[in-house]
C-alpha cells in the first residue's frame, strides 16, 4: 500500500499546489509518500528544494490509476475532478483526502520556513512561479528602477532575467526561494502560498491579485491580509505596496491544522493491509 500526493502543476499553472503538497508530505513523511506532479520539473524542484524524497510525473489526475494499485491512499490538490470522478476515486482508494476540503490548503512546512528575527532584505517582489504571458515584462516597460528586489519564478523564460535585472536592486533565482522568502521583511507577491510562508517566518507580505489567478477571498479577508488589485502600472502597484507596509495591519491567527487524526487513520489502514498481506503470503 502506497500513499500518493497529487499536485496540479505546470509552466502555465505554477507551483502553488506543489509547495502546499510538499508541506503535507513533510507532515506525513513517516509513510514515505510519493509526490505526483503534472510536470517533471515541478517534481524535480520539490525534491531539490522542498525536501521531497520520492516523486513521479503524471500528465493529468485521471492517469493516476495507471500507476496506483487499488486500495492505495491518495491526497490531491486539483480542480480537475467532477463529483462522478471523486466517487470513483473513493471506490478505488482505501482513503481519499482532498486539499481544501479534508486538509486545508494553507499548510506551510515549518521545518523550511522558520521564524526569522533579523531578515536581511527590506522589500522583495515575487510575481509568482509562472508568467507564460510575460506580464512582468509588460509591467516594466514604462518603469524606472525600483527600490526592491526580485525573486524570479521557476517557470520564467530563459533570458528574462537580463531584461528584468536593470529595474530591481537584486535578482534572486528560484533556487534561492526559501532564503528570499525567509529574509524579506516586506514581500509583494501574487502567490497566497508565498504569503503564508512569509508570515510563518515573521515577515509582512502583501498579496497582488493577478487577473489570471483565482484566489480564496474569504480566507484572505479572514486572515486580514492586505491586497492590491492588479493594474498595468508597476509604479502605481509599488506605490500602493509602500502605503500598505507603512501601516501594516495585525493579521488574524489561523489555527494550526492537526494532522494526528489523519496520521492515525492512515496508520491503521496501512497496519491492516500489512497484516492481511502477511496472512495471504
Amino acid at each position: 500500500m502506497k500513499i500518493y500526493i497529487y499536485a496540479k502543476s505546470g509552466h502555465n499553472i505554477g507551483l502553488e499546489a506543489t509547495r502546499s503538497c510538499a508541506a503535507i508530505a513533510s507532515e506525513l513523511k513517516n509513510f514515505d509518500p510519493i509526490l505526483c506532479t503534472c510536470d517533471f520539473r515541478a517534481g524535480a524542484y520539490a525534491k531539490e528544494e522542498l525536501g521531497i524524497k520520492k516523486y513521479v510525473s503524471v500528465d493529468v489526475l485521471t492517469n493516476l490509476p495507471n500507476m496506483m494499485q487499488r486500495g492505495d491512499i491518495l491526497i490531491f490538490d486539483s480542480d480537475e475532478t467532477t463529483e462522478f470522478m471523486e466517487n470513483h476515486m473513493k471506490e478505488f482508494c482505501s482513503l481519499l483526502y482532498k486539499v481544501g476540503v479534508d486538509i486545508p490548503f494553507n499548510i506551510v512546512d515549518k521545518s523550511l520556513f522558520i521564524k526569522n528575527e533579523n531578515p536581511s532584505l527590506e522589500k522583495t517582489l515575487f510575481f509568482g512561479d509562472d508568467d507564460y504571458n510575460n506580464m512582468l515584462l509588460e509591467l516594466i516597460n514604462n518603469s524606472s528602477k525600483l527600490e526592491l528586489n526580485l525573486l524570479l519564478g521557476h517557470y520564467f523564460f530563459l533570458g528574462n532575467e537580463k531584461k528584468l535585472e536593470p529595474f530591481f536592486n537584486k535578482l534572486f533565482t528560484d533556487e534561492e526561494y526559501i532564503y528570499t522568502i525567509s529574509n524579506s521583511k516586506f514581500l509583494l507577491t501574487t502567490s497566497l502560498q508565498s504569503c503564508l510562508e512569509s508570515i510563518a517566518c515573521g515577515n509582512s507580505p502583501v498579496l497582488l491579485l493577478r487577473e489570471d489567478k483565482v484566489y480564496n477571498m474569504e480566507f484572505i479577508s479572514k486572515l486580514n491580509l492586505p491586497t492590491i488589485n492588479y493594474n498595468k502600472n508597476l509604479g502605481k502597484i509599488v506605490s500602493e505596496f509602500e502605503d500598505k507596509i507603512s501601516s501594516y495591519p495585525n493579521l488574524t491567527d489561523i489555527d494550526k491544522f492537526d494532522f494526528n487524526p489523519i496520521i492515525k487513520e492512515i496508520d491503521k489502514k496501512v497496519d491492516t493491509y500489512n497484516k492481511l498481506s502477511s496472512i495471504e503470503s
Side-chain angles (χ1 to χ4, degrees), residues 125 135-148 163-164 166-168 232-239:
L125 168 65
M135 295 168 67
L136 184 54
L137 288 184
E138 290 183 14
L139 279 177
I140 64 170
N141 275 338
N142 298 312
S143 176
S144 55
K145 184 171 180 178
L146 302 163
E147 290 302 315
L148 73 166
K163 300 174 185 176
L164 293 165
F167 296 90
F168 298 92
K232 294 185 178 181
N233 186 323
L234 185 55
K236 183 179 179 182
I237 290 173
V238 173
S239 178

Side-chain angles (χ1 to χ4, degrees), residues 146-208:
L146 302 163
E147 290 302 315
L148 73 166
N149 306 296
L150 175 65
L151 173 58
L152 296 167
H154 179 65
Y155 290 107
F156 276 21
F157 290 109
L158 188 65
N160 276 11
E161 63 273 10
K162 293 181 180 179
K163 300 174 185 176
L164 293 165
E165 189 172 17
F167 296 90
F168 298 92
N169 285 339
K170 186 173 181 179
L171 264 60
F172 294 92
T173 68
D174 60 324
E175 288 86 1
E176 298 171 287
Y177 178 88
I178 294 172
Y179 168 83
T180 310
I181 296 297
S182 301
N183 278 282
S184 296
K185 184 177 180 181
F186 298 107
L187 178 70
L188 174 61
T189 178
T190 66
S191 166
L192 179 55
Q193 180 67 24
S194 299
C195 285
L196 298 171
E197 293 161 350
S198 174
I199 293 167
C201 296
N203 297 320
S204 303
V206 174
L207 183 64
L208 175 60

Side-chain angles (χ1 to χ4, degrees), residues 47-108:
K47 183 173 184 180
E48 292 168 5
E49 306 294 336
L50 304 177
I52 289 296
K53 302 300 182 185
K54 294 181 180 179
Y55 72 93
V56 295
S57 56
V58 55
D59 291 339
V60 290
L61 180 62
T62 51
N63 283 348
L64 270 177
N66 296 329
M67 67 177 68
M68 294 175 65
Q69 299 291 324
R70 181 173 291 275
D72 282 341
I73 295 168
L74 175 63
I75 299 165
F76 70 100
D77 186 350
S78 175
D79 58 1
E80 300 167 72
T81 60
T82 62
E83 183 179 355
F84 175 80
M85 287 172 61
E86 290 187 22
N87 287 334
H88 178 71
M89 290 159 67
K90 287 177 182 178
E91 293 175 2
F92 185 85
C93 302
S94 58
L95 291 172
L96 181 71
Y97 304 98
K98 184 175 183 178
V99 176
V101 178
D102 307 299
I103 299 173
F105 64 86
N106 59 308
I107 305 298
V108 173

